[in-house]
Amino acid sequence: MQLIWLSDVDASMIDVVGGKGAGLGEMLRAGERVPDGFCLTVESYRSGELPERELVEAYERLGGGRVAVRSSATAEDLPEASFAGQQDTYLDVEGAGELVGAVRRCWDSLFTERAVAYRATNRAAAGIDDAAMAVVVQRMVDPVAAGVLFTANPITGCRTEMVLDAAPGLGTAIVDGSVVPDHYVLREGAPAAANPGGCLRADQLERLRAAGLRLQEHFGSPQDVEWAIDADDTLWLLQSRPVTTLFPLPPDTGDMRLYLEFGHMQGMLRPCTPMGVSLLKTGASLWFEVMGAKVDRRDPLPRLVPIGGRIFYDMTDYLRNKAMRRRLGPALEVYGPRVQTAVLSMMDDPRFAPRPGLPFRLGSVLKGTARLLPRTLAGVVSSLADPVRARARADRGLAEVRRLITPPGPSATAAERLRWVIEDSHRSIMSPDLHGIVGPLVAGMLAGALPAGLLGGVATREELDTVLGGMPHNVTTEMDLALWGLAVRAREHRDLFLDTPPEALAAAYAAGELPDIGLAGFLAKYGMRAAGEIDVGVPRWEEDPVPLFATIANYLRVEDPGQAPDVRFEAAAARAERMIGTLARRARARRPVRGRLAVFLLRRSRQLTGLREIGKFAWLPALQAARRQLLLVGDDLVREGRLEQAGDIMFLTLPEARAAVDGERDVRGTVAARRAEHEREARRRTVPGALLSDGTDVEALAPAPPARDGVLTGMSGAAGQATGPARVIRDPMGAHLEPGEILVAPTTDPGWTPLFMTAAGLVTETGSPVAHGPTVAREYGIPAVICVRDATSEIRTGQVITVDGTAGTVRVEPY
């Protein structure tokens, strides 16, 4: 079939008529007014022969005259990628000869430089192996006004607002940016109001809004609609395609809610698997039960809400509490100034007006405090008194956690393994003080934070950050230095490790074909780690050591002995000790009492603050053991034909996995849909730091900071300055970073930190001063600027940038 009329087309025919043709046919079937026309199908394109006779006959049947000849590629108007404007359209085509020529030019436009580049960039996102071209021919509409309607606000994400741009004449002027259009925002529940002097009346706006609502309901998602109104005041719909950039909506609760993205604190913006969320909630609920809190096992932590695979925290009840809302400002500082400002602005929104009642059970809080506070205070005091014994106590706690993890044996059934994951995998860390770890950890955090207040006006932020450099006893730093040690041992095989792709090195290691550089011992201690490691669905380094081989190659490129990570770390430690001496003399002279206390804490911070990573590190063996058992359960389900591969179990929740093991349901369809959604979300470049339940990105409502030419503004993460070429990296897997380059990343967690050891500086789009990335940057003595919005798109690899970690700015240097 080489030609088909639009009235015979529906949404299922995208492989025949392309994305635009399928959308137009589906609109006709829905009863919308669409210009009459036909489609030259993909079959004709693939044959390489243009059926000119059939084409001209259809044109004459359409009535001849002026037509629009529109490209309709199979890779176009897709839910994952719009491909807007990547192929060509020709208007006011008249006559058989012009029609044939326009069709051929549409075919050729599939291979313009811009279209090929766009497909290459979005190939994975849209699941495209190849693209083919159909061509739509439609009667021309002579518009008095035309434009584009978004049924959700594409800037803020708000689903209760429509955004409409209109201009006199053809709508192409809006699309190509050659005119300044009339701009309308149509809000739910508010009458449409025409702009004085604009090209649309209020009744026309209402008709457009009604059409947008119908299309959104019919297609099941927000739509990007092209439209035109002719001289007879008839509204014509010319195209409808999904809005592909919107962040997914929170669950509908029937109430306006405010959510804060939890991953900002953990340096994790990649989506969490359903199993990761489920186990996180289940494990946390066990701890709350130990602390005496009442927990609903059906949803142990209802305030943790997965949205788009990311974990958000529902802050609504805190914002609506009169006493607590006043204290939110300082607590939100860790999210950066833009998110903080945006969230605080919600206090003026009547939907978040104060209400009576506390956002928690007071009895549970008092009971938990009574259980935890005495032990914690005793642990803090004893740790400050004797930090050496405190560290030994923390090490014993780590060993006790590992000892208490006793997974089922080889003969266990899938049901027994799953029961162990649900009920026992996290028992080892359920001691209120984490087997003595909490006291030293809190003491270290206090020792690192309190001197800033005691030395206000005496020490600068940069001087205090210097004291935190080269911090010993940090399990993440020790891991990175151990990885450097592997690189040192790999030097005699330098060409092998530099010239072989990391994936091939990982395969050779698995086959036992690599020289022994000590990797087995490293993995025995740190194989439970990975980027995004709080998600049990993420493969650990013990399963996939590709990132380690990439980092070893980066380390082997260090040729200057003074830039060796261990040398840099020792130099940072020496600077820290000298700075403590300097501050001690200055503080005692200016503030004898407070100064002595501050210096005491500074010295204790050198012995305890490094322990801040140990709490999460203690949790990782439980996650590692749970993952191993879940994969074994997955193997059993594969053998029984209920899953396609063992890793599919990570796209189920724990109750769903139990139902699958019990044979109660076929989960393969659920897994396939969730895996596709997960892979789609993993490619998302930006994630809202704060989100309303109508989809509004709260940060997008905040006023933009004053523009400064070439300067990006963020938040100080680690003091100091550095200038060097930028290296934009969105995923640490196999990442290449030359010594002296400045790492620009969406976010960082411990899985990223091996890259820090050869970086000159760090820039991230999200984060918190107390998160892993900035903390480790301070310990390595490299400047860091965090919360730089759109840094990975505003900065290009190779650009020379200056990172000012003290001022919280990034300057893009002129060429």
Side-chain angles (χ1 to χ4, degrees):
M1 176 172 55
Q2 293 191 312
L3 191 143
I4 184 172
W5 289 87
L6 288 177
S7 56
D8 296 324
V9 170
D10 62 37
S12 68
M13 300 173 69
I14 190 169
D15 292 337
V16 177
V17 299
K20 187 180 283 110
L24 290 167
E26 189 65 26
M27 282 197 290
L28 276 168
R29 285 178 173 266
E32 299 297 342
R33 185 176 284 106
V34 175
D36 194 14
F38 60 87
C39 186
L40 194 65
T41 68
V42 166
E43 179 182 329
S44 175
Y45 168 81
R46 287 186 169 139
S47 73
E49 297 292 331
L50 181 61
E52 293 189 20
R53 183 177 61 82
E54 291 182 55
L55 177 63
V56 173
E57 287 179 354
Y59 169 64
E60 291 174 348
R61 180 179 164 189
L62 191 62
R66 295 179 303 115
V67 293
V69 181
R70 311 175 71 188
S71 62
S72 180
T74 52
E76 189 172 326
D77 294 1
L78 302 176
E80 297 84 5
S82 70
F83 288 77
Q86 299 307 310
Q87 283 80 225
D88 290 341
T89 285
Y90 299 93
L91 304 179
D92 288 318
V93 175
E94 188 169 9
E98 283 194 24
L99 175 63
V100 169
V103 169
R104 292 192 183 281
R105 290 195 297 276
C106 278
W107 279 4
D108 292 342
S109 73
L110 189 64
F111 294 102
T112 61
E113 183 177 347
R114 72 174 186 270
V116 171
Y118 188 96
R119 281 199 302 278
T121 301
N122 291 276
R123 188 176 302 277
I128 307 162
D129 294 325
D130 199 1
M133 179 69 80
V135 178
V136 172
V137 179
Q138 289 177 281
R139 299 291 312 163
M140 274 294 298
V141 174
D142 289 321
V144 295
V148 179
L149 168 71
F150 287 89
T151 66
N153 191 318
I155 305 301
T156 67
C158 180
R159 303 316 203 269
T160 59
E161 290 180 347
M162 293 189 186
V163 174
L164 189 151
D165 284 344
L170 293 171
T172 52
I174 294 176
V175 176
D176 64 25
S178 61
V179 300
V180 178
D182 296 334
H183 183 73
Y184 304 86
V185 178
L186 310 178
R187 294 181 172 86
E188 187 177 281
N195 295 339
C199 62
L200 293 181
R201 304 186 307 269
D203 65 297
Q204 293 171 324
L205 292 173
E206 287 293 354
R207 275 190 284 153
L208 280 162
R209 172 162 42 196
L213 288 173
R214 291 195 304 270
L215 290 172
Q216 181 170 270
E217 182 176 1
H218 180 80
F219 287 106
S221 66
Q223 297 289 297
D224 167 3
V225 183
E226 293 182 18
W227 56 271
I229 297 176
D230 66 16
D232 296 326
D233 201 28
T234 300
L235 171 62
W236 296 91
L237 300 181
L238 309 179
Q239 185 167 331
S240 186
R241 60 189 173 211
V243 182
T244 60
T245 57
L246 296 174
F247 192 73
L249 273 175
D252 185 7
T253 63
D255 183 24
M256 179 58 69
R257 314 295 294 178
L258 172 68
Y259 302 91
L260 281 182
E261 209 277 313
F262 184 72
H264 281 64
M265 297 295 295
Q266 286 294 325
M268 178 182 169
L269 288 191
R270 63 187 301 165
C272 196
T273 61
M275 184 61 74
V277 177
S278 186
L279 186 60
L280 174 65
K281 289 193 171 197
T282 298
S285 71
L286 295 175
W287 187 82
F288 280 109
E289 287 178 352
V290 168
M291 298 304 297
K294 293 182 179 179
V295 175
D296 184 349
R297 285 297 185 93
R298 292 170 298 180
D299 189 0
L301 295 179
R303 292 188 192 277
L304 285 186
V305 181
I307 308 171
R310 281 76 179 184
I311 303 174
F312 284 76
Y313 189 81
D314 187 347
M315 290 288 297
T316 311
D317 293 336
Y318 294 89
L319 192 62
R320 286 175 174 160
N321 182 270
K322 185 176 293 186
M324 302 199 72
R325 63 174 12 211
R326 293 197 295 266
R327 297 174 173 83
L328 281 180
L332 290 169
E333 287 179 0
V334 298
Y335 276 85
R338 283 186 59 83
V339 172
Q340 180 190 37
T341 300
V343 173
L344 292 180
S345 71
M346 291 293 102
M347 292 184 184
D348 297 325
D349 190 318
R351 296 172 296 181
F352 296 103
R355 297 181 181 178
L358 290 170
F360 47 77
R361 292 189 182 98
L362 184 59
S364 295
V365 172
L366 293 175
K367 189 182 296 183
T369 302
R371 291 189 180 188
L372 186 59
L373 188 59
R375 294 190 189 192
T376 302
L377 286 177
V380 168
V381 171
S382 63
S383 298
L384 292 174
D386 193 338
V388 175
R389 290 184 64 183
R391 292 199 307 271
R393 185 163 65 250
D395 289 340
R396 289 195 300 272
L398 282 178
E400 182 68 4
V401 167
R402 288 179 177 270
R403 186 188 69 79
L404 292 173
I405 297 175
T406 53
S411 62
T413 66
E416 290 169 339
R417 295 186 189 283
L418 193 58
R419 184 208 59 78
W420 182 85
V421 170
I422 296 172
E423 298 179 11
D424 296 328
S425 64
H426 282 53
R427 293 287 179 190
S428 63
I429 56 174
M430 288 307 128
S431 161
D433 65 346
L434 206 58
H435 304 290
I437 291 175
V438 171
L441 186 157
V442 173
M445 295 178 70
L446 291 173
L450 291 177
L454 294 170
L455 294 177
V458 175
T460 66
R461 165 70 186 275
E462 190 164 359
E463 288 172 330
L464 292 171
D465 273 4
T466 299
V467 173
L468 299 176
M471 187 70 72
H473 315 304
N474 184 321
V475 289
T476 299
T477 303
E478 291 169 351
M479 174 192 76
D480 295 341
L481 290 171
L483 188 54
W484 165 253
L486 298 186
V488 171
R489 288 192 284 276
R491 283 174 180 166
E492 59 180 297
H493 311 286
R494 188 174 189 273
D495 291 344
L496 171 66
F497 283 94
L498 273 179
D499 299 340
T500 307
E503 295 80 6
L505 289 170
Y509 174 76
E513 298 170 356
L514 274 190
D516 183 11
I517 60 171
L519 184 58
F522 178 90
L523 290 176
K525 187 172 184 179
Y526 300 112
M528 61 196 176
R529 307 215 76 167
E533 61 198 4
I534 66 170
D535 178 5
V536 75
V538 171
R540 313 286 119 169
W541 286 342
E542 68 173 3
E543 304 165 61
D544 185 4
V546 166
L548 303 180
F549 287 111
T551 301
I552 289 171
N554 290 334
Y555 289 171
L556 288 172
R557 297 185 182 98
V558 177
E559 297 180 352
D560 180 358
Q563 292 301 308
D566 55 347
V567 174
R568 291 175 62 185
F569 187 79
E570 290 171 5
R575 287 195 299 271
E577 294 295 342
R578 290 195 298 271
M579 181 57 67
I580 289 177
T582 299
L583 294 178
R585 291 188 293 273
R586 189 189 306 166
R588 287 168 182 160
R590 296 173 59 179
R591 294 184 181 172
V593 177
R594 293 174 62 181
R596 289 179 185 277
L597 176 58
V599 170
F600 168 80
L601 291 172
L602 288 175
R603 297 200 184 280
R604 285 297 186 260
S605 76
R606 298 294 304 169
Q607 300 189 55
L608 293 171
T609 300
L611 296 177
R612 70 172 303 278
E613 299 277 332
I614 201 171
K616 181 181 176 184
F617 191 74
W619 178 31
L620 293 177
L623 284 176
Q624 180 187 40
R627 177 174 171 83
R628 289 171 177 168
Q629 295 302 308
L630 287 168
L631 291 175
L632 290 173
V633 174
D635 283 333
D636 284 347
L637 293 174
V638 170
R639 285 191 291 271
E640 295 171 7
R642 299 178 197 169
L643 291 179
E644 299 297 328
Q645 52 185 307
D648 284 350
I649 196 170
M650 301 304 172
F651 295 94
L652 301 173
T653 64
L654 287 168
E656 290 167 344
R658 177 178 277 167
V661 167
D662 293 341
E664 296 176 7
R665 56 179 294 192
D666 185 342
V667 296
R668 285 174 295 183
T670 299
V671 165
R674 287 181 182 169
R675 183 183 284 276
E677 180 185 4
H678 183 85
E679 291 172 355
R680 183 166 59 248
E681 281 300 317
R683 292 184 289 269
R684 185 179 294 278
R685 295 285 180 84
T686 59
V687 176
L691 187 69
L692 296 183
S693 52
D694 64 1
T696 300
D697 177 351
V698 180
E699 192 175 352
L701 302 177
R708 297 171 57 190
D709 188 33
V711 176
L712 305 177
T713 302
M715 183 179 184
S716 176
Q721 284 192 359
T723 299
R727 174 73 66 170
V728 179
I729 297 176
R730 294 187 173 90
D731 190 328
M733 177 69 75
H736 176 100
L737 185 71
E738 293 285 345
E741 289 183 324
I742 294 173
L743 172 61
V744 181
T747 186
T748 57
D749 73 353
W752 287 77
T753 59
L755 296 172
F756 292 12
M757 299 189 76
T758 53
L762 172 68
V763 179
T764 66
E765 294 178 326
T766 67
S768 156
V770 298
H772 304 284
T775 298
V776 176
R778 289 191 293 269
E779 293 176 0
Y780 288 166
I782 63 173
V785 179
I786 61 176
C787 299
V788 180
R789 189 173 175 88
D790 300 326
T792 60
S793 54
E794 294 287 339
I795 300 171
R796 298 188 303 275
T797 293
Q799 283 185 314
V800 176
I801 61 175
T802 295
V803 177
D804 188 334
T806 305
T809 60
V810 180
R811 176 181 295 278
V812 179
E813 300 295 344
Y815 289 106

PDB file of all heavy atoms in Angstrom, residues 598-611:
ATOM      1  N   ALA A 598      37.195  26.203  70.157  1.00  0.00           N
ATOM      2  CA  ALA A 598      37.186  25.997  68.708  1.00  0.00           C
ATOM      3  C   ALA A 598      38.409  25.204  68.261  1.00  0.00           C
ATOM      4  O   ALA A 598      38.309  24.290  67.440  1.00  0.00           O
ATOM      5  CB  ALA A 598      37.132  27.342  67.990  1.00  0.00           C
ATOM      6  N   VAL A 599      39.556  25.526  68.803  1.00  0.00           N
ATOM      7  CA  VAL A 599      40.781  24.813  68.419  1.00  0.00           C
ATOM      8  C   VAL A 599      40.715  23.356  68.868  1.00  0.00           C
ATOM      9  O   VAL A 599      41.135  22.440  68.159  1.00  0.00           O
ATOM     10  CB  VAL A 599      42.006  25.527  69.007  1.00  0.00           C
ATOM     11  CG1 VAL A 599      43.266  24.676  68.827  1.00  0.00           C
ATOM     12  CG2 VAL A 599      42.173  26.887  68.341  1.00  0.00           C
ATOM     13  N   PHE A 600      40.160  23.131  70.083  1.00  0.00           N
ATOM     14  CA  PHE A 600      39.987  21.751  70.544  1.00  0.00           C
ATOM     15  C   PHE A 600      39.135  20.968  69.543  1.00  0.00           C
ATOM     16  O   PHE A 600      39.456  19.827  69.160  1.00  0.00           O
ATOM     17  CB  PHE A 600      39.320  21.763  71.926  1.00  0.00           C
ATOM     18  CG  PHE A 600      38.839  20.410  72.381  1.00  0.00           C
ATOM     19  CD1 PHE A 600      39.732  19.490  72.916  1.00  0.00           C
ATOM     20  CD2 PHE A 600      37.505  20.046  72.246  1.00  0.00           C
ATOM     21  CE1 PHE A 600      39.281  18.235  73.328  1.00  0.00           C
ATOM     22  CE2 PHE A 600      37.046  18.803  72.654  1.00  0.00           C
ATOM     23  CZ  PHE A 600      37.945  17.894  73.196  1.00  0.00           C
ATOM     24  N   LEU A 601      38.036  21.593  69.106  1.00  0.00           N
ATOM     25  CA  LEU A 601      37.155  20.918  68.164  1.00  0.00           C
ATOM     26  C   LEU A 601      37.819  20.736  66.800  1.00  0.00           C
ATOM     27  O   LEU A 601      37.615  19.705  66.126  1.00  0.00           O
ATOM     28  CB  LEU A 601      35.858  21.703  68.013  1.00  0.00           C
ATOM     29  CG  LEU A 601      34.941  21.702  69.243  1.00  0.00           C
ATOM     30  CD1 LEU A 601      33.788  22.678  69.057  1.00  0.00           C
ATOM     31  CD2 LEU A 601      34.397  20.292  69.515  1.00  0.00           C
ATOM     32  N   LEU A 602      38.613  21.725  66.377  1.00  0.00           N
ATOM     33  CA  LEU A 602      39.319  21.569  65.106  1.00  0.00           C
ATOM     34  C   LEU A 602      40.263  20.371  65.152  1.00  0.00           C
ATOM     35  O   LEU A 602      40.349  19.595  64.183  1.00  0.00           O
ATOM     36  CB  LEU A 602      40.116  22.843  64.785  1.00  0.00           C
ATOM     37  CG  LEU A 602      39.306  24.084  64.361  1.00  0.00           C
ATOM     38  CD1 LEU A 602      40.227  25.283  64.201  1.00  0.00           C
ATOM     39  CD2 LEU A 602      38.558  23.817  63.052  1.00  0.00           C
ATOM     40  N   ARG A 603      40.942  20.206  66.259  1.00  0.00           N
ATOM     41  CA  ARG A 603      41.866  19.065  66.372  1.00  0.00           C
ATOM     42  C   ARG A 603      41.085  17.753  66.450  1.00  0.00           C
ATOM     43  O   ARG A 603      41.490  16.747  65.864  1.00  0.00           O
ATOM     44  CB  ARG A 603      42.763  19.240  67.592  1.00  0.00           C
ATOM     45  CG  ARG A 603      43.671  20.474  67.505  1.00  0.00           C
ATOM     46  CD  ARG A 603      44.857  20.365  68.446  1.00  0.00           C
ATOM     47  NE  ARG A 603      45.657  21.583  68.416  1.00  0.00           N
ATOM     48  CZ  ARG A 603      46.550  21.875  67.462  1.00  0.00           C
ATOM     49  NH1 ARG A 603      46.714  21.037  66.456  1.00  0.00           N
ATOM     50  NH2 ARG A 603      47.233  23.002  67.501  1.00  0.00           N
ATOM     51  N   ARG A 604      39.963  17.775  67.137  1.00  0.00           N
ATOM     52  CA  ARG A 604      39.153  16.567  67.187  1.00  0.00           C
ATOM     53  C   ARG A 604      38.544  16.257  65.810  1.00  0.00           C
ATOM     54  O   ARG A 604      38.367  15.087  65.455  1.00  0.00           O
ATOM     55  CB  ARG A 604      38.032  16.729  68.216  1.00  0.00           C
ATOM     56  CG  ARG A 604      38.508  16.626  69.659  1.00  0.00           C
ATOM     57  CD  ARG A 604      39.079  15.226  69.923  1.00  0.00           C
ATOM     58  NE  ARG A 604      39.438  15.004  71.311  1.00  0.00           N
ATOM     59  CZ  ARG A 604      40.679  15.082  71.788  1.00  0.00           C
ATOM     60  NH1 ARG A 604      41.691  15.394  70.980  1.00  0.00           N
ATOM     61  NH2 ARG A 604      40.904  14.855  73.072  1.00  0.00           N
ATOM     62  N   SER A 605      38.241  17.307  65.048  1.00  0.00           N
ATOM     63  CA  SER A 605      37.676  17.056  63.720  1.00  0.00           C
ATOM     64  C   SER A 605      38.661  16.291  62.847  1.00  0.00           C
ATOM     65  O   SER A 605      38.258  15.433  62.047  1.00  0.00           O
ATOM     66  CB  SER A 605      37.283  18.377  63.035  1.00  0.00           C
ATOM     67  OG  SER A 605      38.417  19.076  62.552  1.00  0.00           O
ATOM     68  N   ARG A 606      39.969  16.548  63.027  1.00  0.00           N
ATOM     69  CA  ARG A 606      40.969  15.821  62.238  1.00  0.00           C
ATOM     70  C   ARG A 606      40.963  14.332  62.583  1.00  0.00           C
ATOM     71  O   ARG A 606      41.417  13.508  61.790  1.00  0.00           O
ATOM     72  CB  ARG A 606      42.365  16.386  62.487  1.00  0.00           C
ATOM     73  CG  ARG A 606      42.572  17.828  62.091  1.00  0.00           C
ATOM     74  CD  ARG A 606      42.477  18.033  60.605  1.00  0.00           C
ATOM     75  NE  ARG A 606      43.406  17.198  59.855  1.00  0.00           N
ATOM     76  CZ  ARG A 606      43.376  17.046  58.548  1.00  0.00           C
ATOM     77  NH1 ARG A 606      42.436  17.633  57.835  1.00  0.00           N
ATOM     78  NH2 ARG A 606      44.258  16.285  57.933  1.00  0.00           N
ATOM     79  N   GLN A 607      40.456  13.987  63.733  1.00  0.00           N
ATOM     80  CA  GLN A 607      40.458  12.580  64.140  1.00  0.00           C
ATOM     81  C   GLN A 607      39.089  11.910  64.007  1.00  0.00           C
ATOM     82  O   GLN A 607      39.015  10.675  63.998  1.00  0.00           O
ATOM     83  CB  GLN A 607      40.924  12.470  65.595  1.00  0.00           C
ATOM     84  CG  GLN A 607      42.335  13.026  65.819  1.00  0.00           C
ATOM     85  CD  GLN A 607      42.848  12.716  67.209  1.00  0.00           C
ATOM     86  OE1 GLN A 607      42.873  11.562  67.620  1.00  0.00           O
ATOM     87  NE2 GLN A 607      43.238  13.747  67.938  1.00  0.00           N
ATOM     88  N   LEU A 608      38.031  12.721  63.866  1.00  0.00           N
ATOM     89  CA  LEU A 608      36.688  12.123  63.882  1.00  0.00           C
ATOM     90  C   LEU A 608      35.811  12.473  62.681  1.00  0.00           C
ATOM     91  O   LEU A 608      34.944  11.680  62.310  1.00  0.00           O
ATOM     92  CB  LEU A 608      35.948  12.560  65.158  1.00  0.00           C
ATOM     93  CG  LEU A 608      36.489  12.032  66.484  1.00  0.00           C
ATOM     94  CD1 LEU A 608      35.798  12.723  67.653  1.00  0.00           C
ATOM     95  CD2 LEU A 608      36.291  10.519  66.569  1.00  0.00           C
ATOM     96  N   THR A 609      35.993  13.649  62.075  1.00  0.00           N
ATOM     97  CA  THR A 609      35.065  14.093  61.035  1.00  0.00           C
ATOM     98  C   THR A 609      35.091  13.180  59.820  1.00  0.00           C
ATOM     99  O   THR A 609      34.082  13.048  59.110  1.00  0.00           O
ATOM    100  CB  THR A 609      35.356  15.556  60.641  1.00  0.00           C
ATOM    101  OG1 THR A 609      35.196  16.383  61.802  1.00  0.00           O
ATOM    102  CG2 THR A 609      34.409  16.042  59.560  1.00  0.00           C
ATOM    103  N   GLY A 610      36.204  12.547  59.578  1.00  0.00           N
ATOM    104  CA  GLY A 610      36.276  11.603  58.467  1.00  0.00           C
ATOM    105  C   GLY A 610      35.297  10.450  58.591  1.00  0.00           C
ATOM    106  O   GLY A 610      34.985   9.779  57.596  1.00  0.00           O
ATOM    107  N   LEU A 611      34.774  10.226  59.782  1.00  0.00           N
ATOM    108  CA  LEU A 611      33.843   9.110  59.997  1.00  0.00           C
ATOM    109  C   LEU A 611      32.449   9.393  59.447  1.00  0.00           C
ATOM    110  O   LEU A 611      31.577   8.525  59.521  1.00  0.00           O
ATOM    111  CB  LEU A 611      33.733   8.799  61.497  1.00  0.00           C
ATOM    112  CG  LEU A 611      35.015   8.312  62.187  1.00  0.00           C
ATOM    113  CD1 LEU A 611      34.763   8.130  63.672  1.00  0.00           C
ATOM    114  CD2 LEU A 611      35.507   7.012  61.570  1.00  0.00           C
TER     115      LEU A 611
END
